[in-house]
Amino acid sequence: MSTLHESPQTQSIRNDWTREEVSRLFDLSLMDLVHQAQAVHRQHFDPNEVQLSTLLNIKQGGCSEDCKYCSQSARYQTGIDNEKLMDKDRVLQFARQAKANGSGRFCMGAAWRNVKNRNMDELVEIVQAVKDLGMETCMTLGMLSSEQAQQLADAGLDYYNHNIDTSREFYPEVVTTRSYDDRLDTLENVRSAGMHVCCGGIIGMGESREDRGGLLHTLATLPAHPGSVPINMLVPVAGTPMGDREMIDPLELVRTIAVARILMPASYVRLSAGRRSIGETGQALCFLAGANSIFYGDKLLTTPNPEETSDMALLEKLGMKTTGEPVASQEASCESGSCGCG
Ligand code: SAM
Ligand code: DTB
Ligand code: SF4
């Protein structure tokens, strides 16, 4: 373990991180790492603010893909019902409730490999209707063509979530039905269409620390850093090939968040799936390490998330406040183009 005690310096936005630099960050003592991450965090954000996004599964189950963590793959017996695409009015009921509860962004997920053109009209109407409520909109629907991405962007979709999940090397252990490059192509389609990218991954699937570094290195060397970076801890779902994975040490989650914060200083780093299993102290450490966004609402897509009331009590206890403000993402914060975002 490194014994570096560097004083934090002004952290510029870089897209040329090397794997070695990323590994060195992971190997710092936790105290040095969190100190550096917190210093970087304070250069770009109010450290007492957390952004809230609420999730809704608008098309549950029956997915053709083999993602080994996923409750919604048709290949595993997980007891999840298969449902059709939810109609717009029902989506709006959930969105209104999320807004009333204080959420700034509404994120809609579908258990699809990719978007079909026959669903585009309905999806466009849903985006427009949620947008009209005054919320930020996000969708995660699987792979998107460049034409589909443009249609969603034109409808007012602010964010598209598409995770790369892990390192390129570990990826084949997790998914075989679509490639790492397929995922990167979708991210490029989203970016070219002018939408903000939301992209992250999962830890605790049996990957090594080197793989966690590979995940963050890929994200931090994209042409522009994702505006939002969700870091999920595996929620083991019975019936999936990863249903009996042991929980990863929560300090490794803290470490991963801290490295993400240092590599992508202006991005929102979201403490995502897995919050129920790390308790309040674990979550507080993640905020200290630079997480500044959470999924808010008692359900993720198919698994439980902390109750709204307990989240509000935790934020109150920590003296933190929520924000629904649009993100100060890299695209918005770099004026010179020197970060490579132009
Ligand atoms: N079908 C679309 C796709 O895969 O892009 C969208 C929905 S998918 C469920 C969204 C993301 O949730 C996945 O890429 C994965 O990173 C995360 N996820 C799914 N199941 C999870 C689990 N059991 N634990 C942690 N994260 C999970
Ligand atoms: C993301 O990175 N995490 C969310 C969201 N993007 C779509 C999903 C987490 C899913 C956890 C397992 C479940 O509820 O099925
Ligand atoms: Fe399908 Fe997405 Fe689940 Fe993979 S993660 S099985 S693509 S719903």
Side-chain angles (χ1 to χ4, degrees), residues 2-296:
S2 167
T3 53
L4 280 178
H5 295 277
E6 295 165 348
S7 55
Q9 291 156 354
T10 303
Q11 177 71 65
S12 60
I13 294 182
R14 291 177 47 195
N15 299 64
D16 62 352
W17 296 97
T18 64
R19 283 288 289 254
E20 207 194 4
E21 283 177 301
V22 176
S23 298
R24 278 214 301 270
L25 286 171
F26 266 99
D27 287 343
L28 285 173
S29 86
L30 192 68
M31 301 308 127
D32 288 345
L33 177 60
V34 170
H35 179 59
Q36 198 172 319
Q38 176 65 203
V40 169
H41 191 44
R42 282 167 186 264
Q43 287 164 11
H44 293 270
F45 293 101
D46 178 339
N48 297 305
E49 273 195 4
V50 182
Q51 186 270 335
L52 305 182
S53 291
T54 296
L55 270 174
L56 177 68
N57 209 2
I58 62 170
K59 159 55 187 94
Q60 177 174 277
C63 184
S64 60
E65 300 302 275
D66 72 350
C67 312
K68 293 192 175 43
Y69 48 76
C70 188
S71 61
Q72 302 193 78
S73 165
R75 296 166 192 244
Y76 316 129
Q77 302 295 316
T78 60
I80 295 285
D81 293 333
N82 299 342
E83 291 171 3
K84 292 197 314 214
L85 180 60
M86 195 181 276
D87 72 60
K88 184 183 74 185
D89 291 338
R90 192 123 191 274
V91 175
L92 277 178
Q93 283 173 10
F94 283 102
R96 281 197 197 95
Q97 188 59 52
K99 189 181 179 196
N101 289 345
S103 192
R105 191 180 307 168
F106 198 60
C107 179
M108 296 157 270
W112 284 328
R113 167 185 168 80
N114 61 286
V115 174
K116 283 99 194 152
N117 285 336
R118 65 171 183 273
N119 292 123
M120 280 306 296
D121 288 348
E122 248 176 304
L123 293 167
V124 161
E125 279 186 27
I126 290 173
V127 171
Q128 287 168 340
V130 176
K131 195 80 185 140
D132 285 347
L133 298 178
M135 299 186 84
E136 282 190 319
T137 50
C138 176
M139 282 182 161
T140 178
L141 315 167
M143 293 187 283
L144 273 188
S145 68
S146 52
E147 293 75 21
Q148 291 168 336
Q150 198 57 61
Q151 278 176 274
L152 291 173
D154 292 346
L157 188 64
D158 298 301
Y159 279 83
Y160 196 80
N161 167 245
H162 197 61
N163 290 341
I164 53 169
D165 283 347
T166 188
S167 67
R168 185 181 280 278
E169 295 76 19
F170 192 68
Y171 185 86
E173 307 291 318
V174 181
V175 186
T176 67
T177 48
R178 58 180 164 170
S179 71
Y180 211 66
D181 287 319
D182 287 336
R183 301 229 182 188
L184 295 174
D185 287 348
T186 289
L187 294 175
E188 183 49 35
N189 292 341
V190 170
R191 202 176 77 87
S192 302
M195 286 183 282
H196 293 288
V197 169
C198 171
C199 183
I202 311 177
I203 71 163
M205 298 189 293
E207 77 288 342
S208 64
R209 187 179 272 183
E210 199 53 35
D211 291 313
R212 293 188 276 282
L215 161 69
L216 297 186
H217 179 257
T218 302
L219 296 173
T221 55
L222 286 171
H225 295 166
S228 290
V229 179
I231 305 291
N232 297 276
M233 207 165 87
L234 177 72
V235 180
V237 175
T240 65
M242 295 186 177
D244 56 5
R245 283 279 189 288
E246 287 216 356
M247 183 175 144
I248 190 169
D249 184 342
L251 289 178
E252 200 57 28
L253 175 62
V254 176
R255 206 175 265 287
T256 306
I257 286 173
V259 176
R261 167 53 63 222
I262 294 166
L263 297 179
M264 295 169 278
S267 301
Y268 277 73
V269 176
R270 184 173 305 130
L271 168 57
S272 303
R275 284 199 294 123
R276 266 166 53 107
S277 36
I278 60 172
E280 291 195 333
T281 316
Q283 292 181 67
L285 273 175
C286 290
F287 293 134
L288 195 62
N292 60 348
S293 170
I294 54 173
F295 283 122
Y296 179 64

